[in-house]
């Protein structure tokens, strides 16, 4: 209890919420965003920006860049290298095969440090757009892989082997050209579905956080600009990071930002190095005013003692602070926790406290994933009951929040 300001008593922006003073970014550290009516940037940011702030440098203080030669020589690669001029550059044959990182068990001791200090530059060799149907109609080829944040439940590091720094794909022009052709082939959406009533929705951040990527390169900005010109399509990405620089762009309603939220005590334990939950919720109005569509991910829902009470409090806080304009256009995804045996073992080496709530053999059942890894999720009956509870909590505390799907 007492995680959020009470109804009608919004906390001044200069004061961090209770219990959030140990988070990566306190509310007092977030500079005022640029005007929502600022013109779209024709090129890279100039002048002071959030990406140059001390808060951003705490998240990313790059000292080492592993780069495929072609990626380093590309225009986007050169921009990234110029952004971190003091970083040591190491040539690699492939962004997937870096012995010092991938498969090196010793990297566990530097799990978070590697995320902060190491980047990888590569080219996206296979450009494939896959059907989805849940969060989006299509999963776009990513412009990055990995993350500087360290959420304990994240599935991306399962494939990388003991290290998960950001890999920036520098051939962004090819990625956007591929997407343009795909969008053109679809034509107009003939029938509405739960993804969107009118537009084909493309998830552009399946294995990365586009808000964090925007601290490094213009890939996110280029994608937002591209979708702003495609009247039949819409970009979408989930984020746990508030990056005010994205307010400088001109998405024209063609990019959906999905702020992931969970009770703050869960976030402090599991969402390592992310923006505080209250800050993500508070940012929704600014992003809507800047021309984004704003949705929420209630994700992941972790079943543990007191979880329903804490989710109810979170939803009441959202009802209290979100303005009518946000409520009128928003929707939510409910995503129950899926965990993984390899990730469980990895977490035990650097963050064992997280596993006290993530690894619950008494509630979970095995599920073999499409790539053959050993996942665990809540047993069918327990999961169904938990989803029903979330739906009731939303109906009682935030009835304006339409649930697009629950998984």
């Amino acid at each position: 209890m007492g995680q959020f300001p009470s109804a009608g008593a919004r906390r001044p922006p200069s004061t961090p919420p209770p219990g959030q003073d140990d988070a990566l970014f306190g509310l007092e550290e977030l500079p005022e965003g640029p005007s929502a009516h600022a013109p779209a940037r024709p090129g890279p940011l100039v002048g002071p920006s959030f990406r140059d702030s001390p808060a951003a440098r705490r998240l990313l203080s790059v000292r080492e860049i592993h780069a495929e030669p072609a990626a380093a020589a590309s225009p986007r690669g050169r921009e990234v290298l110029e952004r971190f001029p003091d970083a040591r550059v190491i040539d690699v044959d492939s962004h997937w095969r870096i012995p010092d990182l991938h498969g090196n068990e010793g990297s566990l001791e530097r799990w978070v440090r590697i995320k902060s200090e190491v980047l990888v530059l590569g080219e996206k060799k296979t450009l494939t757009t896959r059907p989805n149907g849940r969060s989006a109609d299509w999963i776009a080829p990513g412009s990055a892989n990995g993350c500087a944040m360290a959420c304990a439940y994240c599935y991306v590091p399962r494939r990388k082997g003991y290290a998960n720094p950001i890999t920036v794909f520098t051939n962004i022009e090819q990625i956007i050209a591929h997407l343009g052709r795909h969008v053109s082939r679809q034509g107009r959406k003939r029938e509405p579905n739960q993804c969107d009533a009118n537009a084909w929705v493309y998830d552009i951040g399946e294995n990365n956080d586009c808000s964090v990527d925007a601290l490094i390169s213009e890939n996110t900005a280029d994608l937002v600009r591209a979708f702003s010109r495609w009247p039949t399509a819409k970009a979408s990405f989930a984020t746990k990071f508030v990056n005010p620089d994205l307010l400088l762009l001109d998405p024209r309603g063609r990019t959906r930002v999905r702020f992931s939220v969970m009770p703050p005590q869960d976030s402090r334990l599991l969402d390592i190095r992310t923006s505080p939950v209250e800050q993500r919720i508070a940012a929704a109005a600014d992003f809507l005013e800047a021309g984004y569509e704003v949705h929420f991910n209630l994700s992941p829902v972790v079943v543990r003692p007191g979880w329903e009470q804490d989710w109810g409090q979170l939803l009441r806080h959202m009802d209290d602070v979100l303005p009518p304009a946000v409520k009128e256009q928003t929707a939510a995804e409910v995503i129950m926790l899926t965990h993984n045996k390899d990730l469980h073992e990895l977490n035990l080496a650097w963050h064992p406290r997280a596993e006290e709530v993530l690894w619950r053999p008494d509630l979970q059942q095995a599920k073999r994933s499409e790539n053959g890894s050993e996942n665990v999720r809540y047993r069918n009956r327990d999961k169904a009951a938990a989803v029903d509870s979330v739906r009731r909590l939303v109906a009682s505390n935030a009835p304006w929040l339409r649930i697009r799907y629950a998984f």
Side-chain angles (χ1 to χ4, degrees), residues 23-50:
L24 176 64
F25 302 114
L27 291 176
E28 77 283 357
E29 294 175 329
L30 183 64
E32 292 184 4
S35 169
H37 304 290
R41 294 184 288 110
L45 280 167
V46 293
S49 64
F50 180 74

Side-chain angles (χ1 to χ4, degrees), residues 129 178 180-187:
T129 296
H178 164 89
R181 292 189 295 270
H182 193 278
V183 169
S184 179
R185 287 196 300 270
Q186 305 317 306

Side-chain angles (χ1 to χ4, degrees), residues 9-71:
R10 186 180 298 186
R11 192 177 306 280
S14 59
T15 305
Q20 292 283 359
D21 50 327
D22 58 342
L24 176 64
F25 302 114
L27 291 176
E28 77 283 357
E29 294 175 329
L30 183 64
E32 292 184 4
S35 169
H37 304 290
R41 294 184 288 110
L45 280 167
V46 293
S49 64
F50 180 74
R51 67 160 59 165
D52 297 318
S53 68
R57 286 195 293 271
R58 283 203 300 277
L59 184 68
L60 274 169
S61 180
V62 177
R63 300 183 181 183
E64 187 174 288
I65 300 176
H66 299 259
E68 296 175 355

Side-chain angles (χ1 to χ4, degrees), residues 117-196:
E117 297 181 355
V118 176
L119 282 182
V120 180
L121 298 182
E123 291 187 330
K124 187 79 170 178
K125 304 301 193 298
T126 303
L127 301 181
T128 303
T129 296
R130 311 188 327 267
N132 180 248
R134 289 176 179 162
S135 180
D137 294 293
W138 305 96
I139 304 295
S143 62
N145 184 294
C147 191
M149 298 182 290
C151 299
Y153 48 81
C154 180
Y155 62 85
V156 177
R158 300 173 193 170
R159 298 182 60 194
K160 289 209 170 180
Y162 304 115
N164 185 33
I166 295 173
T167 297
V168 178
F169 295 126
T170 60
N171 54 328
I172 186 65
E173 298 90 349
Q174 295 176 22
I175 293 171
I176 290 175
H178 164 89
L179 283 170
R181 292 189 295 270
H182 193 278
V183 169
S184 179
R185 287 196 300 270
Q186 305 317 306
R188 293 194 175 275
K189 188 178 241 184
R190 297 181 181 275
E191 297 180 0
N193 62 11
Q194 62 86 15
C195 299
D196 195 82

